[in-house]
């Protein structure tokens, strides 16, 4: 007898369809931005987009895999230094050298995970921080890359950088401004690629496994999920992207020092703030969070240490009163999912 | 060849022996019930079979393969499914997604390949109306149903059930018994820990009695329930 009932699975929502159209329009606008935006706006956008990439990586770790790392600055720093090493030692062009940053960070992530995965919860957090400090102190001994005081990218490397010439002639810009356009486009591509990659992962079979491990590790193992392997994959992938982002950030500044490249406040502290106020465990959260963070930074730029105090107070308030962040509040009120991952079972009669 | 064999499996937590040289075999397709007082080591026995706890000595053999050193994940993929005595749902996933992940990873298939069977199991266990709700918000009863449903979704050849009938009404218990009988009839080997004896006796062909980590009896239910030693120890009857 034929079964009159059949099933299908749906993840799309009406809001997500509209969001996809709006997002496509925004992406087109973002790509065309250098045609009509000034240098300072592009530089601001560079900061926003690179922080967004770091936030998406940290959110993948903490929000989906339950790996609360306080040592992501290790991967920003090693990525940046690997990029510098590629340029200074081997004469690479800085643009492809950014990818070297990703490779270096992924390689560093392997021993880091080996040790840190033996620790759980708060111990894992502290362990990653300690490892990041060890890496910072080691890199500071690297005399040919400037030791503790750091170094700059050679002038000829920045002036002959790939793509700068065509961009300069396309927009009729000087080289320095064209480098900002290039950095902006690379940051845009990295941020969009990271969001697309995270979303694709969460929608995949592996994403389901990741959520199961996050919710209940023992039960996940009991239904055949390799919890440890999921953690490895996520940790190394997040490190690689963080390393690429580090390389990109320091390509733009063209000057590096261990204290800046391995700064826990800049590359992990602010990133945690962004994810927590935006909404941990969602893709929308970090996007919202980075906008709020940047606005606060601008608003409070003149107040020195008050700035950090106020960030801290806001962070604590959000954790206490809206633990799922601003996006959590919006989602609860409206039910909107811009990046839906829920597999809904639909019964067709 | 038996589907499962334990050979002199022992485990102690400090001075407390929770498994004392346990040996028994379960033939393919049998339904075995496990009874014993609280603290007898029943759930520990399950954890030794699934790999959540490593024994101090002895071996666990699945289909003739020594699996003593394999992880729960590997044993699941070899066909061992289990429910937990205290329900362990994936709380933020929906009920359907709970089954989807179990089906996809327990059987090594894609989500699309296990969608229909997951939906069928939801229907069979009465969870279909709640398919799209987060599992964390379920009532205790529904969580117990989900434990069974999720274990079924891995399509186990050996299914371990840990006290899933407790707290059910008679009607609910009967429907649960029907579901388990159906699985048994389809050829699934079942080991079931249960205090609700009438539910257990409606399904199992053999009973094992555990007391202080020792097997004190194994055999036909009628024989076991009337044996002097079991009555003395398990039912607390003075003879």
């Amino acid at each position: 007898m034929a079964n009159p009932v059949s099933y299908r699975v749906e993840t799309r929502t009406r809001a997500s369809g509209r969001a996809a159209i709006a997002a496509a329009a925004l992406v087109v606008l973002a790509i065309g931005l250098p045609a009509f935006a000034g240098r300072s706006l592009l530089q601001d956008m560079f900061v926003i987009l690179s922080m967004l990439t770091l936030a998406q990586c940290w959110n993948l770790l903490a929000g989906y895999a339950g790996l609360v790392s306080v040592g992501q600055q290790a991967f920003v720093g090693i990525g940046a230094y690997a990029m510098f090493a590629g340029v200074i030692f081997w004469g690479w062009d800085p643009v492809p050298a950014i990818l070297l940053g990703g490779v270096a960070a992924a390689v560093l992530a392997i021993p880091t995970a080996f040790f840190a995965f033996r620790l759980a919860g708060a111990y894992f957090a502290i362990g990653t921080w300690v490892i990041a400090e060890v890496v910072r102190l080691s890199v500071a001994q690297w005399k040919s890359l400037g030791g503790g005081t750091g170094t700059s990218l050679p002038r000829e490397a920045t002036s002959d950088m790939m793509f700068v010439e065509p961009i300069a002639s396309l927009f009729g810009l000087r080289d320095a401004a064209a480098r900002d356009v290039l950095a902006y486009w690379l940051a845009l591509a990295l941020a969009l690629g990271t969001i697309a990659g995270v979303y694709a992962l969460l929608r995949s079979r592996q994403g389901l496994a990741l959520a199961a491990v996050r919710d209940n590790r023992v039960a996940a193992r009991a239904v055949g999920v390799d919890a440890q392997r999921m953690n490895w994959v996520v940790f190394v992938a997040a490190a690689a992207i963080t390393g690429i982002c580090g390389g990109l950030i320091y390509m733009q500044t063209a000057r590096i020092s261990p204290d800046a490249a391995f700064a826990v406040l800049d590359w992990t502290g602010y990133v945690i703030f962004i994810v927590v106020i935006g909404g941990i465990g969602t893709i929308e959260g970090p996007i919202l969070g980075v906008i709020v963070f940047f606005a606060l930074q601008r608003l409070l730029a003149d107040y020195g240490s008050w700035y950090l105090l106020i960030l801290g107070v806001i962070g604590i308030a959000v954790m206490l009163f809206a633990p799922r962040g601003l996006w959590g509040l919006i989602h609860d009120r409206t039910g909107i999912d811009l990046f839906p991952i829920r597999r809904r079972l639909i019964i067709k009669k | 060849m038996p589907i499962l064999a334990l050979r002199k499996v022992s485990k102690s937590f400090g001075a407390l022996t929770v498994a004392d040289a346990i040996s028994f075999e379960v033939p393919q397709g049998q339904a075995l019930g496990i009874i014993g007082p609280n603290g007898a080591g029943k759930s520990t026995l399950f954890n030794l079979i699934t790999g959540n706890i490593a024994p101090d000595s002895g071996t666990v053999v699945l289909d003739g393969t020594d699996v003593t050193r394999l992880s729960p994940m590997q044993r699941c993929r070899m066909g061992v499914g289990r429910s937990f005595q205290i329900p362990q749902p994936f709380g933020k996933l929906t009920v359907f997604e709970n089954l989807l992940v179990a089906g996809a990873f327990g059987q090594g298939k894609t989500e699309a390949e296990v969608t229909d069977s997951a939906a069928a199991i939801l229907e069979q266990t009465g969870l279909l109306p709640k398919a799209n709700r987060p599992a964390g918000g379920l009532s205790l009863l529904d969580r117990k149903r989900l434990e069974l449903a999720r274990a079924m979704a891995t399509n186990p050849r050996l299914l371990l059930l840990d006290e899933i009938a407790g707290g059910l009404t008679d009607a609910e218990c009967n429907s649960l018994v029907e579901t388990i009988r159906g699985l048994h009839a389809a050829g699934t080997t079942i080991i079931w820990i249960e205090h609700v004896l009438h539910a257990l006796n409606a399904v199992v062909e053999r009973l094992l009695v555990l007391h202080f980590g020792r097997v004190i009896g194994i055999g036909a239910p009628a024989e076991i329930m009337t044996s002097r030693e079991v009555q003395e120890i398990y039912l607390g009857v003075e003879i």
Side-chain angles (χ1 to χ4, degrees):
Chain A
M1 202 176 74
N3 190 347
V5 182
S6 70
Y7 305 98
R8 95 195 133 79
V9 179
E10 204 173 271
T11 50
R12 205 159 21 92
T13 62
R14 206 189 297 168
S16 73
R18 290 197 201 121
I21 296 167
L26 266 177
V27 168
V28 170
L29 182 72
I31 293 171
L33 189 67
F36 46 86
R39 270 186 85 177
S40 73
L41 178 60
L42 287 183
Q43 285 169 354
D44 288 349
M45 286 301 293
F46 178 85
V47 174
I48 290 175
L49 290 167
S50 51
M51 291 307 277
L52 176 58
T53 301
L54 296 179
Q56 289 290 353
C57 288
W58 192 80
N59 184 42
L60 179 63
L61 286 177
Y64 292 101
L67 298 168
V68 181
S69 165
V70 190
Q72 291 310 97
Q73 66 276 14
F75 305 116
V76 172
I78 205 73
Y81 267 96
M83 189 274 289
F84 267 65
V87 173
I88 291 171
F89 298 150
W90 304 310
W92 284 34
D93 186 286
V95 176
I98 292 170
L99 295 176
L100 205 57
V103 174
V107 170
L108 175 64
I110 292 167
T112 305
F114 181 80
F115 290 113
F117 282 1
R118 275 143 222 278
L119 308 169
Y123 298 95
F124 174 82
I126 294 165
T128 51
W129 192 352
V130 169
I131 291 168
E133 281 300 291
V134 170
V135 177
R136 177 178 72 85
L137 293 168
S138 309
V139 168
Q141 305 306 313
W142 199 350
K143 291 288 184 293
S144 46
L145 282 177
T149 51
T151 185
S152 298
L153 279 180
R155 180 170 292 278
E156 57 282 10
T158 49
S159 58
D160 299 341
M161 203 151 61
M162 210 179 262
F163 306 122
V164 167
E165 197 53 52
I167 291 171
S169 56
L170 176 65
F171 294 112
L173 294 171
R174 297 154 69 94
D175 277 3
R179 278 200 293 278
D180 282 343
V181 173
L182 174 64
Y184 163 74
W185 273 344
L186 290 174
L188 179 66
L190 185 59
L192 292 177
T194 304
I195 291 172
V198 170
Y199 188 42
L201 172 68
L202 297 179
R203 299 244 338 221
S204 75
R205 189 170 171 273
Q206 302 300 329
L208 202 54
L210 198 57
V213 174
R214 174 201 62 199
D215 283 2
N216 193 319
R217 199 182 173 87
V218 172
R221 285 161 61 85
V223 298
V225 174
D226 193 340
Q228 190 72 356
R229 183 169 155 269
M230 290 309 303
N231 282 356
W232 271 95
V233 168
V234 167
F235 192 78
V236 174
I241 296 168
T242 302
I244 291 174
C245 197
L248 178 59
I249 291 168
Y250 282 90
M251 180 202 92
Q252 204 254 359
T253 63
R255 153 117 208 118
I256 200 168
S257 72
D259 289 346
F262 291 93
V264 62
L265 182 62
D266 289 344
W267 311 128
T268 300
Y270 290 156
V271 165
I272 293 175
F273 178 82
I274 288 168
V275 175
V276 167
I277 61 162
I280 192 166
T282 65
I283 294 178
E284 296 92 339
I287 299 174
L288 201 57
V290 77
I291 295 168
V292 173
F293 169 74
F294 192 78
L296 284 172
Q297 202 179 39
R298 275 300 135 106
L299 223 59
L300 304 171
D302 299 333
Y303 296 93
S305 50
W306 281 102
Y307 161 58
L308 287 177
L309 276 171
I310 292 169
L311 279 193
V313 169
I314 292 173
I316 291 167
V318 168
M319 279 183 240
L320 286 177
F321 301 110
R324 295 193 300 117
L326 295 174
W327 182 257
L329 289 179
I330 294 172
H331 176 79
D332 288 349
R333 293 234 176 357
T334 61
I336 291 174
D337 268 322
L338 299 182
F339 296 92
I341 50 169
R342 183 130 281 174
R343 286 109 167 131
R344 280 173 297 126
L345 183 68
I346 312 287
I347 303 163
K348 290 183 290 192
K349 287 265 163 61
Chain B
M1 182 172 56
I3 189 167
L4 176 75
L6 272 73
R7 297 193 185 126
K8 297 208 165 184
V9 172
S10 294
K11 178 73 189 175
S12 301
F13 294 120
L16 182 70
T17 301
V18 285
D20 189 356
I22 293 179
S23 295
F24 66 93
E25 290 187 348
V26 184
Q28 181 82 44
Q30 191 174 65
L32 170 72
I34 297 181
I35 59 173
N38 287 325
K42 302 187 296 296
S43 290
T44 302
L45 178 59
F46 267 17
N47 285 328
L48 288 164
I49 297 171
T50 58
N52 289 83
I53 295 176
D56 297 332
S57 62
T59 52
V60 179
V61 180
L62 202 63
D63 283 324
T65 310
D66 183 349
V67 298
T68 315
R69 302 185 68 84
L70 296 187
S71 71
M73 183 264 298
Q74 287 166 313
R75 296 190 206 189
C76 171
R77 290 180 183 177
M78 290 175 74
V80 181
R82 76 171 297 181
S83 76
F84 290 92
Q85 184 184 359
I86 298 162
Q88 309 277 341
F90 302 127
K92 288 183 191 151
L93 295 182
T94 65
V95 170
F96 172 61
E97 286 171 326
N98 267 261
L99 268 65
L100 209 51
V101 69
F105 285 87
Q107 301 185 45
K109 290 184 175 171
T110 66
E111 289 178 48
E113 282 169 337
V114 298
T115 296
D116 282 348
S117 63
I121 292 168
L122 286 177
E123 182 151 33
Q124 205 180 344
T125 50
L127 284 168
L128 196 55
K130 289 157 187 159
N132 295 323
R133 293 204 201 154
L138 293 181
S139 66
L140 179 63
L141 173 61
D142 283 333
R143 283 170 186 238
K144 290 208 158 201
R145 285 187 174 140
L146 178 58
E147 280 297 317
L148 174 63
R150 195 176 59 191
M152 284 166 66
T154 64
N155 195 21
R157 289 180 303 116
L158 172 62
L159 178 60
L160 308 176
L161 301 172
D162 197 349
E163 293 193 27
I164 53 168
L168 302 191
T169 66
D170 280 350
E172 286 160 356
C173 193
N174 289 339
S175 89
L176 179 77
V177 164
E178 279 318 303
T179 304
I180 295 169
R181 273 188 149 154
L183 292 171
H184 181 40
T188 309
T189 310
I190 291 168
I191 306 180
W192 186 2
I193 295 173
E194 192 55 75
H195 285 303
V196 184
L197 294 181
H198 65 89
L200 196 62
N201 287 330
V203 177
V204 302
E205 295 133 5
R206 203 160 154 238
L207 268 182
L208 183 154
V209 189
L210 211 58
H211 188 55
F212 287 125
R214 281 192 310 113
V215 177
I216 59 163
I218 185 164
E223 205 177 296
I224 291 290
M225 295 310 293
T226 52
S227 91
R228 188 190 153 98
E229 198 181 13
V230 168
Q231 294 216 333
E232 260 180 57
I233 294 169
Y234 179 55
L235 302 173
V237 180
E238 295 277 341
I239 299 177

